Amino acid sequence: MRVPLSWLREYVDLPATETGRDVQAKLISAGLEVETVEHLGADLKGPLVVGQVLTIEELEGFKKPIRFCTVDVGRANGTGEPQEIVCGARNFSVGDKVVVVLPGATLPGGFSISARKTYGKTSHGMICSSDELGMGDDGTHGIIVLPPETEVGKDAIELLELVDEVLDIAVTANRGDCLSIRGVARETAIAYGLPLRDPALLDVPGPNAYGYPVKVSDPAGCDRFTARTVTGLSPEARSPIWLQRRLQKVGMRPISLAVDVTNYVMMELGQPLHAYDRHQVQGTIGVRRAQEGEKIVTLDGVERKLHAEDLVITDDRGPIGLAGVMGGADTEIADHDPSEEGAGATTDVIIEAAHFDQVSVARTARRHKLSSEASRRFERGVDPQAAAAAAQRTVDLLVLLAGGTAEAGVTEVIAPGAPHTSTVAADHPDKVAGVTYGRETVVRRLQEVGCDVYGQDELIVTVPSWRPDLTDANDLAEEVIRLEGYENLPSTLPRPPAGRGLTARQRLHRRIGRALAGAGYVEALNYPFVSEQVFDQLGLEADDPARRVVKLANPLSDEEPALRTSLLPGLLAALRRNDGRGSHDLALFETGLVFQPRDAAKVAANLPVDRRPSPDDIAALNAALPDQPRHVAVVLAGAREQAGWWGKGRPADWADAVEAARTVAREAGADLRMRKGQYGPWHPGRCAELTVTVDGAERVVGHAGELHPRVVKTLGLPARACAMELDLDVLERVGDTVPQAPSISTFPVATQDVALVVDAFVPAADVEAALREGAGELLESIRLFDVYENAEQLGEGRKSLAYALRFRADDRTLTVDEASAARETAVALAAERTGAVLRG
């Protein structure tokens, strides 16, 4: 909500020395979030005056239309002679009053004006548009044309109210009253301890039988409907400058007098209004729920198919407006077109000031994706008692500015209701805040916000109609606390009991994070929301369990309505985003929860709020939640080792992704095994399937390797990108996190190398497993140090795997015969299981 300080001063007598910054500080202290204070015209310097166009000469020979004008600016230029100005705009004529900036002035943005030669003429100043003066959009996109009665030579800075301060307030969902100048003025008056001149305190005639007929069929959706009629509006009447400027300052565009007046009153009082062309309304105005399949063309020109829950305004033809959201095009106010001598202009209007149900308006606005200034206010709560005053204020302005006549008929349909009353202990705010305010302070603060308060120790509080958010004792306590100042609350740190530190699971997750960070990875935290189309992009099979997702009832984005079943979509999006911004050497990791729906879906029960839930309640709630295992994933692209004077460097490849998995497994104390695999987004020839043994059975816990080129292309990733993902919960389950001290032997190691020739399709892991088992207890370590393929020497479809075997005994120095015997046994078992042959 944008609030001009000049408008605010009409209702609160602020000290003349108070600036927008001062008011901002006061309102922030009172709990309003004033984001900025905009200084309009801060760098504007005159002379800026009203001029009258005397002559216009069209200059020929240029690519765009150029006009050489003489403008009467009175004595503002010091000579009284007409001012010669070159201008490219076309929306003004001889005799029009315009805004002229003279040499020596400075426009917003530090643009200095001086006489200059252009298009073969010397231009002594400028004829200004609203954009050039920083006024905002006036709908013309051209030169400002002032009313004919404007005095030539008058100071345009004062006339157009170009110097002002505007407070930009972020209004929270519960403070709909502050979406109006009236509401902010009330908060300002309280903050300064000054009286408020309430603009809603008007003499309003009572309802009678002569008003326009209205029938409300759904009093739950519309509990108040006021209708007033004004006739004889002048088709030529235009919104005065002061009204247009106030609308521009609050961020609205002037349109026509009738529409501008309804918008002005909405901003002033917070009550949305709508004006109907009386001659376009047929029969009784009604308020009802739409019939399924009905249609309406709204003011934005869009035909909308209505839902049975939509609350609509109707006449005898059907819907003519979406209640509280937007009016229909059939009854739109028609503006005057001078070229048609007033034909079609609206002269008689019906003013609607109604109060609609918050939830109904909110659902309709979201259903049709149609947010408006009216719907924003109804969603947050509008003062129902202000409807009659807003209608009267609108009528008064139309009569004053357009020469209309207010008809005597007043329609007011009101559903029975009573003001909301709450009971609160006088010391309840003291208990909430931990501060002793006392009964007198509590009563005074509640009365300042408009409450009627009775009682002594137990207060009976009737909340004002403009504060529908005050529903219980805690809301009333909050009002007292915020007005007394949140900054005055004492800061008392609680004394927590001595804990036992981090859990084993938390320590493991931190160790894994530190290990991956030490290996050069950067942690990236991503949103847990995904679109279901991402599974197609990752190349998952139609029956893949990862496609079973938990969908959100109210997602932040309709494009991402599901909870993730893998960390890769978010990490790959981060990889793509960073690569697109120039960071090409990337290594990212994330640990986080994934969400897997249970086979039997359960509905969570509503837990009690007056007591702590029982263990059974919590267990039932947890049983209704999806499974949420914790995963770890990494993605890599670009250079893994940078090139420099020390060497050529190397790019990241599938082996780095596999090594990241080994790093995680080492921290978890798990025995992770790798074998050739094929799954979803990974390249079928460069994918490692990662397994562990759980309860005696082998279980796949993840994959690592290079991504499939098709996935890389679809997602727009860097070439040869790699990834790894593991189920951390399973690793934690099978791992041994007890630190193991290394065994140090005083006896020397015996090293034996062996080169085995196997078929090309035989996994090196299978050969290594056979060598390890065959070597027995004397084997200390085994390492694959060479892979060689040569069809001429080894044969077609064969490869050579060279291993370094290290043997050591704990109690003696091994002999050559012992080491050789262990080597031969290992080779024999490898030959038996994999068909390996010693390379000659």
Side-chain angles (χ1 to χ4, degrees):
M1 176 69 189
R2 290 170 57 85
V3 180
L5 190 59
S6 58
W7 198 350
L8 195 62
R9 288 182 182 275
E10 282 198 8
Y11 309 127
V12 183
D13 290 327
L14 294 172
T17 56
E18 288 294 286
T19 66
R21 295 290 185 191
D22 298 329
V23 177
Q24 178 189 31
K26 285 282 189 180
L27 292 180
I28 289 176
S29 178
L32 293 185
E33 186 178 346
V34 185
E35 293 185 326
T36 60
V37 177
E38 184 179 353
H39 297 271
L40 302 182
D43 51 357
L44 177 65
K45 186 180 72 172
L48 188 73
V49 298
V50 176
Q52 184 172 20
V53 180
L54 301 179
T55 64
I56 299 177
E57 176 188 350
E58 302 289 345
L59 301 182
E60 304 293 338
F62 299 103
K63 293 183 179 179
K64 61 179 181 179
I66 298 297
R67 312 168 96 186
F68 180 65
C69 312
T70 59
V71 184
D72 178 15
V73 295
R75 302 292 301 179
N77 58 4
T79 65
E81 296 295 323
Q83 201 79 3
E84 297 179 339
I85 299 174
V86 175
C87 184
R90 314 289 298 174
N91 68 313
F92 65 96
S93 307
V94 172
D96 283 346
K97 302 289 180 66
V98 295
V99 178
V100 179
V101 57
L102 301 177
T106 302
L107 293 182
F111 183 61
S112 298
I113 303 299
S114 61
R116 63 189 183 94
K117 190 169 184 179
T118 180
Y119 298 103
K121 301 285 187 178
T122 301
S123 182
H124 299 273
M126 285 175 52
I127 301 175
C128 298
S129 68
S130 59
D131 287 339
E132 291 165 338
L133 297 179
M135 295 170 56
D137 185 10
D138 63 355
T140 64
H141 302 291
I143 294 303
I144 302 171
V145 178
L146 300 171
E149 64 273 12
T150 310
E151 179 186 350
V152 172
K154 183 178 179 64
D155 183 1
I157 295 178
E158 178 183 349
L159 174 70
L160 300 177
E161 302 177 12
L162 297 178
V163 178
D164 202 350
E165 293 181 277
V166 179
L167 285 72
D168 193 350
I169 304 175
V171 179
T172 54
N174 66 319
R175 292 303 305 272
D177 60 305
C178 288
L179 285 174
S180 66
I181 303 296
R182 178 197 184 200
V184 177
R186 181 181 294 108
E187 291 295 319
T188 305
I190 295 173
Y192 278 91
L194 297 172
L196 169 70
R197 288 189 292 274
D198 192 342
L201 294 180
L202 301 174
D203 292 330
V204 179
N208 54 52
Y210 308 106
Y212 197 90
V214 173
K215 180 181 179 182
V216 178
S217 302
D218 191 337
C222 176
D223 57 8
R224 185 179 294 264
F225 195 107
T226 299
R228 301 288 299 275
T229 304
V230 181
T231 60
L233 299 178
S234 171
E236 291 80 15
R238 291 291 175 266
S239 301
I241 293 174
W242 64 266
L243 191 149
Q244 293 187 44
R245 288 295 295 133
R246 286 193 170 178
L247 289 178
Q248 287 175 327
K249 289 177 184 178
V250 298
M252 303 192 75
R253 178 172 63 87
I255 299 173
S256 64
L257 178 59
V259 176
D260 291 349
V261 167
T262 57
N263 286 336
Y264 177 85
V265 175
M266 176 178 66
M267 289 297 175
E268 183 180 54
L269 302 182
Q271 168 66 52
L273 301 111
H274 189 70
Y276 301 93
D277 187 327
R278 181 174 180 176
H279 298 295
Q280 301 299 324
V281 179
Q282 299 180 12
T284 300
I285 293 178
V287 183
R288 62 170 171 82
R289 298 289 172 176
Q291 298 174 8
E292 193 69 41
E294 280 188 309
K295 295 181 179 179
I296 183 176
V297 178
T298 46
L299 288 174
D300 57 358
V302 177
E303 183 180 79
R304 302 180 185 277
K305 186 176 180 180
L306 300 179
H307 188 275
E309 291 185 2
D310 291 335
L311 192 66
V312 294
I313 310 298
T314 64
D315 64 3
D316 290 350
R317 296 167 296 179
I320 59 174
L322 281 174
V325 180
M326 185 174 286
D330 291 342
T331 57
E332 181 180 8
I333 298 295
D335 200 7
H336 168 60
D337 186 347
S339 64
E340 299 182 8
E341 300 181 356
T346 298
T347 57
D348 301 340
V349 299
I350 301 171
I351 305 300
E352 166 208 304
H355 184 260
F356 301 111
D357 176 61
Q358 292 178 242
V359 175
S360 176
V361 172
R363 287 179 175 173
T364 297
R366 283 158 179 73
R367 188 179 298 117
H368 295 282
K369 296 181 173 61
L370 185 61
S371 179
S372 64
E373 292 289 346
S375 67
R376 286 183 63 222
R377 284 161 176 79
F378 279 121
E379 289 173 17
R380 289 160 175 79
V382 168
D383 181 5
Q385 301 293 337
Q392 183 63 45
R393 176 72 164 141
T394 305
V395 168
D396 293 343
L397 286 173
L398 289 176
V399 171
L400 175 67
L401 302 177
T405 301
E407 290 195 352
V410 177
T411 303
E412 196 163 21
V413 180
I414 304 175
H420 180 73
T421 300
S422 292
T423 301
V424 58
D427 61 349
H428 183 64
D430 301 7
K431 295 178 180 178
V432 172
V435 176
T436 303
Y437 293 122
R439 179 188 178 280
E440 290 73 16
T441 298
V442 171
V443 171
R444 174 172 58 84
R445 287 304 190 183
L446 292 178
Q447 289 175 340
E448 285 178 346
V449 298
C451 297
D452 291 330
V453 186
Y454 304 95
Q456 292 299 318
D457 295 338
E458 197 78 16
L459 302 179
I460 301 174
V461 182
T462 301
V463 301
S465 57
W466 56 82
R467 291 300 303 274
D469 58 306
L470 304 181
T471 59
D472 55 39
N474 287 329
D475 294 330
L476 300 174
E478 182 183 1
E479 290 299 294
V480 175
I481 295 168
R482 76 175 181 87
L483 294 178
E484 284 295 307
Y486 290 121
E487 69 276 11
N488 296 323
L489 293 177
S491 298
T492 305
L493 294 176
R495 295 183 178 180
R500 291 176 293 179
L502 300 176
T503 64
R505 189 184 194 203
Q506 291 169 331
R507 288 195 298 270
L508 172 61
H509 295 162
R510 292 196 180 189
R511 285 202 313 274
I512 289 172
R514 284 195 295 267
L516 290 174
Y521 290 86
V522 177
E523 186 170 15
L525 301 179
N526 300 289
Y527 284 118
F529 312 117
V530 296
S531 67
E532 293 183 89
Q533 288 72 28
V534 75
F535 301 124
D536 295 327
Q537 297 170 339
L538 292 177
L540 299 186
E541 299 292 338
D543 58 349
D544 195 295
R547 286 182 175 270
R548 294 184 62 237
V549 296
V550 177
K551 290 189 177 180
L552 299 171
N554 188 21
L556 292 178
S557 169
D558 292 337
E559 296 179 356
E560 295 180 330
L563 291 173
R564 65 188 178 191
T565 56
S566 167
L567 300 182
L568 287 184
L571 268 181
L572 293 176
L575 182 74
R576 179 181 64 246
R577 186 164 52 248
N578 282 276
D579 180 71
R581 294 175 180 174
S583 298
H584 304 302
D585 302 326
L586 295 163
L588 308 177
F589 84 93
E590 180 179 11
T591 61
L593 301 180
V594 298
F595 304 86
Q596 300 168 349
R598 298 179 188 268
D599 293 333
K602 297 181 180 179
V603 178
N606 292 325
L607 297 181
V609 296
D610 58 341
R611 57 181 172 80
R612 187 185 188 281
S614 68
D616 291 340
D617 292 334
I618 297 175
L621 183 64
N622 288 331
L625 296 176
D627 289 328
Q628 301 176 52
R630 183 173 290 272
H631 281 202
V632 58
V634 306
V635 293
L636 305 99
R640 186 65 177 135
E641 295 178 5
Q642 295 290 338
W645 58 265
W646 53 85
K648 295 182 179 179
R650 68 173 183 85
D653 61 15
W654 62 268
D656 294 299
V658 173
E659 181 57 30
R662 288 195 178 101
T663 300
V664 172
R666 280 195 297 269
E667 294 297 327
D671 181 15
L672 187 67
R673 291 181 292 279
M674 292 95 179
R675 65 188 180 202
K676 182 179 178 180
Q678 182 174 344
Y679 178 70
W682 280 278
H683 192 299
R686 298 168 188 157
C687 173
E689 189 173 74
L690 311 174
T691 66
V692 295
T693 300
V694 182
D695 298 330
E698 192 175 53
R699 177 171 172 180
V700 177
V701 292
H703 295 83
E706 183 179 319
L707 294 176
H708 198 291
R710 184 170 56 249
V711 173
V712 169
K713 181 178 179 180
T714 302
L715 295 178
L717 303 174
R720 308 299 293 268
C722 302
M724 178 278 293
E725 184 166 13
L726 276 173
D727 188 330
L728 263 185
D729 284 359
V730 177
L731 289 184
E732 180 185 4
R733 177 180 169 186
V734 302
D736 182 6
T737 58
V738 177
Q740 299 292 329
S743 59
I744 301 175
S745 175
T746 59
F747 298 97
V749 66
T751 302
Q752 295 275 346
D753 292 344
V754 58
L756 301 177
V757 178
V758 296
D759 290 332
F761 62 83
V762 175
D766 292 351
V767 178
E768 179 180 324
L771 289 173
R772 187 184 298 276
E773 183 178 343
E777 296 181 355
L778 294 178
L779 181 66
E780 182 179 78
S781 67
I782 181 173
R783 178 175 62 88
L784 175 66
F785 67 86
D786 184 54
V787 178
Y788 177 70
E789 295 182 5
N790 188 312
E792 294 181 1
Q793 296 183 15
L794 304 178
E796 191 68 33
R798 303 281 281 175
K799 64 182 177 182
S800 171
L801 304 176
Y803 293 90
L805 309 177
R806 291 168 57 91
F807 298 96
R808 195 195 307 261
D810 294 333
D811 56 351
R812 68 189 185 281
T813 299
L814 292 177
T815 66
V816 174
D817 292 339
E818 287 178 311
S820 298
R823 172 182 177 275
E824 291 170 2
T825 304
V827 171
L829 187 59
E832 177 184 341
R833 290 187 177 178
T834 66
V837 178
L838 273 173
R839 182 178 172 188

